[in-house]
Amino acid sequence: MTDLRLIITPPEPGDWHGRLDVLEALEAAGWTGDADMPLSIVRHPSGAVWAVANDAGDSGLTCPNGANPDFPSDTPSLVVIAACLAATHPTP
């Protein structure tokens, strides 16, 4: 397993980057942008899918085990990233 090191620069006050930081971190971890919506939906080979739901930055995760957690826009990016990475490594 390779280490994943993230550097996330927070946006300046008033700037809105949606969940671009999450998208970039997941792509660095091997997730792939959806063919139709590469800036809104990313998929992992395990079957996990993360998607931005709206312009407010709400998002959701579909886990290989069938769980579907939602993340309101005020959920910290690191929490969303950690949940997505955890979803790709199911427990026995």
Side-chain angles (χ1 to χ4, degrees):
M1 180 186 307
T2 60
D3 292 339
L4 176 64
R5 300 185 193 283
L6 303 174
I7 298 174
I8 298 174
T9 305
E12 293 295 321
D15 286 349
W16 184 81
H17 294 285
R19 289 295 191 174
L20 187 59
D21 52 352
V22 174
L23 176 82
E24 289 174 345
L26 295 179
E27 286 181 337
W31 296 56
T32 306
D34 187 75
D36 293 331
M37 301 181 76
L39 296 178
S40 297
I41 301 172
V42 288
R43 301 172 186 279
H44 188 268
S46 68
V49 179
W50 175 79
V52 177
N54 55 40
D55 288 343
D58 298 330
S59 63
L61 173 64
T62 301
C63 302
N65 69 0
N68 296 295
D70 291 322
F71 306 103
S73 62
D74 60 350
T75 305
S77 295
L78 290 176
V79 172
V80 177
I81 294 165
C84 291
L85 296 178
T88 66
H89 294 67
T91 56

